[in-house]
């Protein structure tokens, strides 16, 4: 009984990584838009960096979801 409660607590804490990913994605896109408004000519050159940062940040969120699911269903 107590071990099951600990699994739920651990999975909930692992889901905090998804919150960090959401904040990170918002920060990345907000910074890109701010930079694009200041210098529209350089926006196209920075688009690849935007997509790479988005992919890495979102991957970390997916990894935290994977850890939460592993804690719930495997451990």
């Amino acid at each position: 009984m107590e071990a099951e409660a600990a699994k739920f607590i651990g999975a909930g804490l692992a889901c905090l990584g998804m919150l960090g990913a959401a904040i990170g994605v918002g920060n990345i896109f907000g910074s890109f838009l701010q930079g694009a408004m200041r210098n529209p000519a350089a926006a196209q050159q920075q688009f690849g960096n935007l997509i790479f940062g988005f992919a890495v940040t979102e991957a970390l969120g997916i990894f935290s979801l994977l850890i939460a699911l592993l804690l719930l269903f495997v451990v």
Side-chain angles (χ1 to χ4, degrees):
M1 188 69 139
E2 294 167 354
E4 188 174 344
K7 284 186 351 182
F8 289 137
I9 292 171
L13 289 175
C15 286
L16 289 177
M18 290 189 295
L19 173 69
I23 292 171
V25 167
N27 205 1
I28 287 170
F29 279 100
S31 296
F32 174 76
L33 288 175
Q34 185 178 16
M37 290 296 160
R38 287 182 182 214
N39 189 1
Q44 188 63 28
Q45 297 167 347
Q46 294 299 320
F47 188 74
N49 292 337
L50 170 75
I51 297 300
F52 178 73
F54 167 74
V56 170
T57 305
E58 197 64 31
L60 292 176
I62 292 171
F63 291 152
S64 69
L65 176 64
L66 176 68
I67 296 298
L69 291 174
L70 284 173
L71 285 172
L72 284 176
F73 297 113
V74 176
V75 178

